[in-house]
Amino acid sequence: MIPKTTTYYLRLAVANFIVLTILGLILRYIHITSIGDINYQFLLHAHSHFAFAGWMFFAIALLITNLINKDCLPRSFRSVMVLTLISAYGMLVSFYLQGYKAVSITFSTLFIVVTYRFTYLVFKKKALRNSVNELSFVLIKPALIFLCVSSIGPFALGPLMAMGFKNTPYYQDAIYIYLHFQMNGFMLLAVLGLFASALTVDSLTKSTKAWLNLFVYSTVLLYFIFTLWSSPGILLQLLAVVGAIINLVSWIVLCARFKSVWSDCSALAKAALIAISLKVVFQVFVCYPAIGSWTFSNRDLIIGYIHLLTLGIITPLIIDQILRQGFVSVWPPLNWIYIYTAVAYLALLFLQPLLAQFGISIPDYQLWLFGLSILFLLVGFALLGKVKAVHGSIER
Amino acid sequence: MNTKNLKHLIPALIIASASFLYACGGSGAQTGGDENSSASSSTASADVDPDAKSDSKGLGKFTSVQLGPIDNAMADKGKAVFTAKCSACHKITTDKVVGPGLKGVTQRRTPEWIMNQITNPIEMEQKDPVGKALLAKHLTQMTFQNVSDDETRQLLEYLRQNDKQ
């Protein structure tokens, strides 16, 4: 049975998802109407930083913790969860009030230190290795390494600014180190690892392991896609293309090798796996300069890409894990409402920029995006209600 | 596929992507150099008030735009372009989202400046005094959205109609 404290923190994770959705809803609301003196960009910072710490890291870390500690939530892991909450809400408030300044930088730094501490705890005494199957370990281990690597980005910002590089592509590229290694590195591989932990798979053959490693470590080369916006020259472009192609080929091979798993997948997991396939294909297209420059200059496409990762891949796999690990009893309508909402939301973000090439604009575009955001909020409340029910029955 | 195939695959991939890049990398490298030099030569100027009226025509291909009475059909086309390509960052009220609210923009700026900012935003925000002040205020570089010259004119008409109301 799941420890009571773990269930308690899982409720907090879902509550954070609701808070995150409300922030997104306000951002969308600003597009359709006027609501006084809200600084859109400060709120956007609050939304994105809270998403990384308060929802995705918090939920993923808790689910990994629950694999390692099935009987109780040790104090060391509990302190990680509490400090994550403090840094997440600290960032939420400080980014909203003052943008990227001393207080928000302090909370961001605290968050980075907490991620180091979590990584240490997971590897200490081979805690993870002894708790999960080989496939899961081969994915979660590099995920945590990339989690630590991502912090190179923010730590480089100070020196870059001091050396007068603030207005150069290097400064942006440092920010992208963080974004890329957080999302494509840590989050994506960790949720895949969590997904794998629930599968019954034989021990990996040598060649399967080699393909897995190609898929995992091509992530390093994929970073260079994020530098292509400033046309940095042929070497980086070459590295990006090689990364994108290795990533695509290894993903296809892995899909073929593990195809027997498909029939056991929930609808949520299937949707997420399809979304990964789309992402892996898009990466190759973006390396083509004409498509790349169009993509990088189009805000809806960038927002679409980020949400393809977060709402299309990471969040559904987190919810799938919440169900699989037994925090919530399966309730199929919830899965379907989530899938339809995410597909419609992402389709709008990708379709409008495409249609714009033919001079077509979707009527009430911003209104539709706002309306769909409300559905994400409903999913959050439904999920919270379900977790509560399980928690209640444990106490009785 | 087995590991033996795998060994051959990697060099094959590298060669394939190298030839792909040889075909299209040259022009990319050139633009890279361009952008670096213009970025480092830019200095933020706060002397210009970005909200004040300016007679600047800006920098770009539009040097002289003749205006007639507002053409509502053209403005309607402009509205469609606006929704598709501008509304992620701009509103037509006075509210700022990512970029400034556009109500009154046709009174603050010349038609040429507006059309140059739409079609040539990067140079405008690096070199034009008003453009530089706008970048300093809003902190986000505007990007060209593949707007044709005709569409740019339609957008101007839409903004003029918006300011008449």
Side-chain angles (χ1 to χ4, degrees):
Chain A
M1 187 171 281
I2 300 166
K4 242 197 304 194
T5 30
T6 311
T7 313
Y8 171 73
Y9 281 104
L10 193 96
R11 280 174 62 193
L12 285 176
V14 178
N16 286 356
F17 177 74
I18 291 172
V19 171
L20 174 63
T21 318
I22 292 170
L23 292 172
L25 211 52
I26 300 172
L27 286 168
R28 283 281 158 225
Y29 192 64
I30 292 175
H31 278 285
I32 56 172
T33 188
S34 186
I35 40 169
D37 246 353
I38 288 189
N39 185 321
Y40 182 87
Q41 275 164 313
F42 285 3
L43 193 62
L44 184 61
H45 276 311
H47 172 73
S48 59
H49 287 85
F50 189 79
F52 277 36
W55 167 235
M56 286 175 289
F57 176 79
F58 190 82
I60 290 170
L62 187 68
L63 291 166
I64 293 176
T65 302
N66 192 46
L67 291 178
I68 298 173
N69 309 285
K70 292 191 177 73
D71 306 321
C72 69
L73 185 66
R75 204 208 283 236
S76 53
F77 281 94
R78 215 181 313 162
S79 69
V80 165
M81 302 320 297
V82 172
L83 287 171
T84 304
L85 277 180
I86 292 171
S87 61
Y89 279 92
M91 285 193 282
L92 168 62
V93 173
S94 56
F95 272 112
Y96 175 62
L97 291 179
Q98 49 159 211
Y100 195 71
K101 290 269 168 62
V103 180
S104 53
I105 291 172
T106 308
F107 281 115
S108 315
T109 312
L110 170 66
F111 176 54
I112 290 172
V113 174
V114 173
T115 61
Y116 292 161
R117 167 84 179 145
F118 177 70
T119 305
Y120 166 76
L121 289 176
V122 169
F123 287 134
K124 199 173 92 173
K125 294 186 198 151
K126 298 192 172 171
L128 180 66
R129 183 76 201 89
N130 296 330
S131 317
V132 295
N133 63 40
E134 193 185 3
L135 179 60
S136 177
F137 182 72
V138 171
L139 290 162
I140 295 180
K141 180 184 156 187
L144 293 171
I145 294 171
F146 289 143
L147 175 65
C148 296
V149 168
S150 74
S151 63
I152 294 171
F155 284 134
L157 292 182
L160 281 172
M161 216 188 292
M163 290 187 292
F165 285 107
K166 176 92 208 279
N167 289 317
T168 67
Y170 302 116
Y171 191 83
Q172 281 299 317
D173 290 345
I175 295 174
Y176 294 146
I177 289 182
Y178 185 71
L179 288 175
H180 170 70
F181 284 102
Q182 280 276 327
M183 295 196 299
N184 287 312
F186 165 63
M187 294 170 195
L188 175 68
L189 297 175
V191 290
L192 276 176
L194 285 167
F195 169 69
S197 72
L199 304 175
T200 33
V201 282
D202 306 329
S203 68
L204 305 173
T205 63
K206 235 178 147 182
S207 84
T208 302
K209 219 171 162 179
W211 282 109
L212 267 167
N213 281 329
L214 276 178
F215 178 71
V216 165
Y217 291 101
S218 56
T219 304
V220 177
L221 293 177
L222 290 182
Y223 164 68
F224 295 105
I225 296 176
F226 284 72
T227 67
L228 296 182
W229 65 277
S230 66
S231 311
I234 190 156
L235 178 66
L236 297 194
Q237 204 146 22
L238 179 69
L239 292 172
V241 172
V242 171
I245 293 175
I246 296 177
N247 203 246
L248 171 67
V249 173
S250 55
W251 176 250
I252 293 171
V253 172
L254 290 173
C255 285
R257 297 254 164 124
F258 291 100
K259 63 173 183 280
S260 61
V261 166
W262 181 257
S263 55
D264 292 337
C265 290
S266 69
L268 275 173
K270 284 178 181 166
L273 293 171
I274 293 170
I276 296 176
S277 307
L278 287 175
K279 179 198 94 96
V280 165
V281 172
F282 289 167
Q283 285 167 178
V284 179
F285 283 127
V286 167
C287 291
Y288 187 74
I291 298 177
S293 64
W294 173 61
T295 309
F296 299 131
S297 68
N298 198 305
R299 200 174 172 91
D300 281 328
L301 279 182
I302 300 288
I303 295 173
Y305 172 78
I306 293 171
H307 288 85
L308 174 65
L309 269 160
T310 53
L311 289 174
I313 299 171
I314 296 155
T315 298
L317 283 177
I318 289 174
I319 297 177
D320 180 58
Q321 257 327 278
I322 291 176
L323 299 170
R324 286 229 178 194
Q325 292 192 12
F327 287 99
V328 182
S329 50
V330 181
W331 186 54
L334 178 78
N335 297 3
W336 285 109
I337 293 168
Y338 183 87
I339 292 169
Y340 287 135
T341 307
V343 167
Y345 191 76
L346 294 171
L348 276 180
L349 284 173
F350 281 98
L351 269 181
Q352 179 58 80
L354 278 172
L355 291 176
Q357 297 302 306
F358 307 101
I360 302 167
S361 71
I362 298 171
D364 299 320
Y365 178 60
Q366 298 291 347
L367 197 61
W368 277 107
L369 290 172
F370 173 74
L372 287 165
S373 309
I374 297 176
L375 292 178
F376 284 115
L377 187 62
L378 296 181
V379 168
F381 279 119
L383 199 58
L384 187 65
K386 289 273 164 189
V387 185
K388 236 177 170 174
V390 175
H391 186 239
S393 68
I394 291 170
E395 281 192 319
R396 247 178 270 133
Chain B
M1 220 181 267
N2 57 32
T3 24
K4 206 178 152 207
N5 292 344
L6 193 61
K7 271 180 209 154
H8 295 293
L9 183 77
I10 297 168
L13 281 177
I14 294 173
I15 293 164
S17 23
S19 51
F20 169 67
L21 277 163
Y22 182 75
C24 55
S27 63
Q30 230 170 2
T31 2
D34 260 17
E35 234 165 77
N36 276 338
S37 60
S38 59
S40 53
S41 67
S42 80
T43 44
S45 78
D47 304 341
V48 180
D49 176 7
D51 297 328
K53 187 169 162 41
S54 149
D55 293 330
S56 164
K57 294 200 171 194
L59 305 155
K61 62 176 123 174
F62 299 102
T63 50
S64 167
V65 179
Q66 302 301 322
L67 297 179
I70 291 171
D71 177 341
N72 286 321
M74 194 198 264
D76 285 347
K77 286 184 189 161
K79 184 182 181 181
V81 179
F82 187 89
T83 307
K85 298 192 171 182
C86 316
S87 70
C89 301
H90 291 285
K91 290 172 71 172
I92 54 158
T93 62
T94 53
D95 297 327
K96 167 194 160 78
V97 184
V98 180
L102 296 174
K103 186 82 187 169
V105 68
T106 60
Q107 279 129 38
R108 290 194 296 274
R109 308 278 180 259
T110 63
E112 295 83 2
W113 190 96
I114 293 171
M115 291 178 72
N116 284 328
Q117 175 65 26
I118 294 169
T119 49
N120 187 28
I122 293 183
E123 193 187 8
M124 286 281 284
E125 289 176 27
Q126 306 281 1
K127 293 176 184 163
D128 178 75
V130 179
K132 280 157 79 172
L134 281 164
L135 180 58
K137 183 176 179 190
H138 298 283
L139 301 172
T140 307
Q141 170 72 61
M142 178 166 149
T143 50
F144 176 50
Q145 300 292 317
N146 276 321
V147 189
S148 71
D149 291 358
D150 283 346
E151 287 175 330
T152 307
R153 185 63 188 80
Q154 291 158 7
L155 282 170
L156 176 68
E157 208 62 7
Y158 175 53
L159 293 172
R160 288 177 72 207
Q161 185 195 53
N162 180 49
D163 287 344
K164 269 276 149 63
Q165 283 160 3

Tab-separated table of all heavy atoms in Angstrom, chain A residues 200-225:
chain	number	residue	atom	x	y	z
A	200	THR	N	6.539	-5.327	-17.963
A	200	THR	CA	7.337	-6.521	-17.723
A	200	THR	C	8.169	-6.761	-18.976
A	200	THR	O	7.634	-7.120	-20.028
A	200	THR	CB	6.441	-7.745	-17.451
A	200	THR	OG1	5.250	-7.590	-18.221
A	200	THR	CG2	6.085	-7.859	-15.989
A	201	VAL	N	9.458	-6.483	-18.861
A	201	VAL	CA	10.346	-6.677	-20.011
A	201	VAL	C	11.490	-7.614	-19.620
A	201	VAL	O	11.950	-7.610	-18.479
A	201	VAL	CB	10.935	-5.337	-20.522
A	201	VAL	CG1	9.919	-4.588	-21.334
A	201	VAL	CG2	11.439	-4.492	-19.376
A	202	ASP	N	11.916	-8.416	-20.591
A	202	ASP	CA	13.066	-9.292	-20.364
A	202	ASP	C	14.311	-8.430	-20.213
A	202	ASP	O	14.295	-7.246	-20.532
A	202	ASP	CB	13.263	-10.241	-21.553
A	202	ASP	CG	11.994	-11.011	-21.849
A	202	ASP	OD1	11.226	-11.274	-20.893
A	202	ASP	OD2	11.757	-11.331	-23.036
A	203	SER	N	15.398	-9.043	-19.735
A	203	SER	CA	16.635	-8.260	-19.654
A	203	SER	C	17.050	-7.877	-21.083
A	203	SER	O	16.784	-8.594	-22.044
A	203	SER	CB	17.729	-9.069	-18.960
A	203	SER	OG	18.098	-10.151	-19.771
A	204	LEU	N	17.678	-6.724	-21.185
A	204	LEU	CA	17.920	-6.142	-22.503
A	204	LEU	C	19.058	-6.851	-23.221
A	204	LEU	O	20.080	-7.153	-22.612
A	204	LEU	CB	18.267	-4.659	-22.342
A	204	LEU	CG	17.237	-3.829	-21.572
A	204	LEU	CD1	17.769	-2.426	-21.328
A	204	LEU	CD2	15.922	-3.772	-22.319
A	205	THR	N	18.868	-7.082	-24.526
A	205	THR	CA	19.970	-7.635	-25.309
A	205	THR	C	20.988	-6.528	-25.543
A	205	THR	O	20.689	-5.342	-25.384
A	205	THR	CB	19.482	-8.138	-26.674
A	205	THR	OG1	18.975	-7.023	-27.391
A	205	THR	CG2	18.402	-9.191	-26.535
A	206	LYS	N	22.186	-6.950	-25.952
A	206	LYS	CA	23.255	-5.978	-26.167
A	206	LYS	C	22.864	-4.932	-27.211
A	206	LYS	O	23.123	-3.742	-27.047
A	206	LYS	CB	24.509	-6.726	-26.635
A	206	LYS	CG	25.725	-6.430	-25.766
A	206	LYS	CD	26.896	-7.234	-26.252
A	206	LYS	CE	28.184	-6.479	-26.056
A	206	LYS	NZ	29.335	-7.240	-26.583
A	207	SER	N	22.232	-5.406	-28.290
A	207	SER	CA	21.931	-4.445	-29.353
A	207	SER	C	20.790	-3.510	-28.944
A	207	SER	O	20.811	-2.319	-29.252
A	207	SER	CB	21.612	-5.172	-30.662
A	207	SER	OG	20.273	-5.570	-30.705
A	208	THR	N	19.793	-4.030	-28.219
A	208	THR	CA	18.721	-3.144	-27.744
A	208	THR	C	19.300	-2.064	-26.841
A	208	THR	O	18.931	-0.889	-26.921
A	208	THR	CB	17.660	-3.945	-26.967
A	208	THR	OG1	17.137	-4.957	-27.828
A	208	THR	CG2	16.531	-3.057	-26.501
A	209	LYS	N	20.239	-2.477	-25.995
A	209	LYS	CA	20.852	-1.512	-25.095
A	209	LYS	C	21.628	-0.452	-25.884
A	209	LYS	O	21.592	0.736	-25.550
A	209	LYS	CB	21.794	-2.239	-24.130
A	209	LYS	CG	21.724	-1.656	-22.743
A	209	LYS	CD	22.471	-2.505	-21.749
A	209	LYS	CE	22.750	-1.669	-20.510
A	209	LYS	NZ	23.455	-2.426	-19.492
A	210	ALA	N	22.277	-0.900	-26.969
A	210	ALA	CA	23.014	0.057	-27.796
A	210	ALA	C	22.060	1.069	-28.426
A	210	ALA	O	22.329	2.276	-28.437
A	210	ALA	CB	23.788	-0.687	-28.885
A	211	TRP	N	20.923	0.584	-28.933
A	211	TRP	CA	19.944	1.508	-29.527
A	211	TRP	C	19.374	2.453	-28.476
A	211	TRP	O	19.150	3.635	-28.741
A	211	TRP	CB	18.813	0.731	-30.211
A	211	TRP	CG	19.219	0.183	-31.553
A	211	TRP	CD1	19.441	-1.118	-31.883
A	211	TRP	CD2	19.448	0.943	-32.745
A	211	TRP	NE1	19.797	-1.230	-33.196
A	211	TRP	CE2	19.802	0.018	-33.756
A	211	TRP	CE3	19.393	2.304	-33.054
A	211	TRP	CZ2	20.108	0.413	-35.058
A	211	TRP	CZ3	19.689	2.699	-34.353
A	211	TRP	CH2	20.044	1.758	-35.328
A	212	LEU	N	19.126	1.906	-27.285
A	212	LEU	CA	18.639	2.761	-26.199
A	212	LEU	C	19.637	3.870	-25.904
A	212	LEU	O	19.261	5.038	-25.747
A	212	LEU	CB	18.438	1.927	-24.934
A	212	LEU	CG	17.046	1.357	-24.702
A	212	LEU	CD1	17.087	0.315	-23.600
A	212	LEU	CD2	16.068	2.469	-24.343
A	213	ASN	N	20.914	3.494	-25.832
A	213	ASN	CA	21.929	4.504	-25.553
A	213	ASN	C	22.023	5.545	-26.657
A	213	ASN	O	22.220	6.725	-26.392
A	213	ASN	CB	23.294	3.843	-25.328
A	213	ASN	CG	23.396	3.256	-23.930
A	213	ASN	OD1	22.786	3.788	-23.000
A	213	ASN	ND2	24.113	2.163	-23.793
A	214	LEU	N	21.861	5.094	-27.915
A	214	LEU	CA	21.856	6.063	-29.018
A	214	LEU	C	20.699	7.042	-28.855
A	214	LEU	O	20.858	8.255	-29.035
A	214	LEU	CB	21.724	5.341	-30.366
A	214	LEU	CG	22.998	4.809	-30.997
A	214	LEU	CD1	22.661	4.096	-32.296
A	214	LEU	CD2	23.993	5.939	-31.250
A	215	PHE	N	19.523	6.500	-28.530
A	215	PHE	CA	18.361	7.374	-28.354
A	215	PHE	C	18.606	8.360	-27.217
A	215	PHE	O	18.366	9.563	-27.353
A	215	PHE	CB	17.103	6.537	-28.074
A	215	PHE	CG	15.882	7.374	-27.836
A	215	PHE	CD1	15.281	8.068	-28.875
A	215	PHE	CD2	15.336	7.484	-26.564
A	215	PHE	CE1	14.159	8.863	-28.658
A	215	PHE	CE2	14.215	8.284	-26.341
A	215	PHE	CZ	13.632	8.967	-27.383
A	216	VAL	N	19.111	7.838	-26.100
A	216	VAL	CA	19.304	8.672	-24.914
A	216	VAL	C	20.381	9.729	-25.153
A	216	VAL	O	20.173	10.919	-24.909
A	216	VAL	CB	19.677	7.782	-23.706
A	216	VAL	CG1	20.234	8.626	-22.570
A	216	VAL	CG2	18.464	6.997	-23.244
A	217	TYR	N	21.538	9.313	-25.654
A	217	TYR	CA	22.652	10.254	-25.711
A	217	TYR	C	22.662	11.143	-26.955
A	217	TYR	O	23.391	12.140	-26.996
A	217	TYR	CB	23.981	9.520	-25.483
A	217	TYR	CG	24.051	9.038	-24.063
A	217	TYR	CD1	23.786	7.714	-23.735
A	217	TYR	CD2	24.284	9.941	-23.026
A	217	TYR	CE1	23.783	7.286	-22.410
A	217	TYR	CE2	24.288	9.526	-21.705
A	217	TYR	CZ	24.032	8.194	-21.402
A	217	TYR	OH	24.017	7.798	-20.094
A	218	SER	N	21.813	10.824	-27.945
A	218	SER	CA	21.653	11.780	-29.053
A	218	SER	C	20.994	13.061	-28.553
A	218	SER	O	21.043	14.097	-29.209
A	218	SER	CB	20.851	11.160	-30.202
A	218	SER	OG	19.611	10.687	-29.756
A	219	THR	N	20.407	12.996	-27.346
A	219	THR	CA	19.837	14.193	-26.719
A	219	THR	C	20.882	15.312	-26.628
A	219	THR	O	20.554	16.485	-26.779
A	219	THR	CB	19.348	13.847	-25.301
A	219	THR	OG1	18.419	12.768	-25.407
A	219	THR	CG2	18.676	15.030	-24.641
A	220	VAL	N	22.142	14.939	-26.386
A	220	VAL	CA	23.191	15.953	-26.276
A	220	VAL	C	23.315	16.716	-27.599
A	220	VAL	O	23.373	17.948	-27.624
A	220	VAL	CB	24.542	15.312	-25.905
A	220	VAL	CG1	25.644	16.362	-25.863
A	220	VAL	CG2	24.434	14.594	-24.565
A	221	LEU	N	23.301	15.976	-28.722
A	221	LEU	CA	23.420	16.621	-30.028
A	221	LEU	C	22.162	17.420	-30.371
A	221	LEU	O	22.236	18.459	-31.038
A	221	LEU	CB	23.678	15.582	-31.124
A	221	LEU	CG	25.027	14.859	-31.058
A	221	LEU	CD1	25.114	13.817	-32.156
A	221	LEU	CD2	26.168	15.859	-31.185
A	222	LEU	N	21.014	16.939	-29.897
A	222	LEU	CA	19.764	17.651	-30.192
A	222	LEU	C	19.811	19.086	-29.679
A	222	LEU	O	19.118	19.961	-30.187
A	222	LEU	CB	18.564	16.941	-29.548
A	222	LEU	CG	18.141	15.595	-30.128
A	222	LEU	CD1	16.918	15.077	-29.381
A	222	LEU	CD2	17.829	15.730	-31.608
A	223	TYR	N	20.634	19.331	-28.649
A	223	TYR	CA	20.739	20.695	-28.122
A	223	TYR	C	21.056	21.688	-29.241
A	223	TYR	O	20.556	22.815	-29.243
A	223	TYR	CB	21.803	20.796	-27.027
A	223	TYR	CG	22.198	22.233	-26.765
A	223	TYR	CD1	21.296	23.121	-26.179
A	223	TYR	CD2	23.432	22.733	-27.183
A	223	TYR	CE1	21.604	24.449	-25.995
A	223	TYR	CE2	23.761	24.064	-26.994
A	223	TYR	CZ	22.846	24.914	-26.400
A	223	TYR	OH	23.152	26.236	-26.239
A	224	PHE	N	21.880	21.255	-30.199
A	224	PHE	CA	22.332	22.205	-31.218
A	224	PHE	C	21.190	22.697	-32.100
A	224	PHE	O	21.304	23.747	-32.727
A	224	PHE	CB	23.485	21.603	-32.024
A	224	PHE	CG	24.697	21.378	-31.168
A	224	PHE	CD1	25.056	20.104	-30.747
A	224	PHE	CD2	25.448	22.458	-30.734
A	224	PHE	CE1	26.160	19.910	-29.919
A	224	PHE	CE2	26.551	22.274	-29.909
A	224	PHE	CZ	26.906	21.000	-29.503
A	225	ILE	N	20.064	21.962	-32.131
A	225	ILE	CA	18.887	22.471	-32.845
A	225	ILE	C	18.460	23.806	-32.242
A	225	ILE	O	18.048	24.721	-32.945
A	225	ILE	CB	17.724	21.455	-32.774
A	225	ILE	CG1	18.106	20.170	-33.506
A	225	ILE	CG2	16.449	22.046	-33.379
A	225	ILE	CD1	17.056	19.085	-33.401
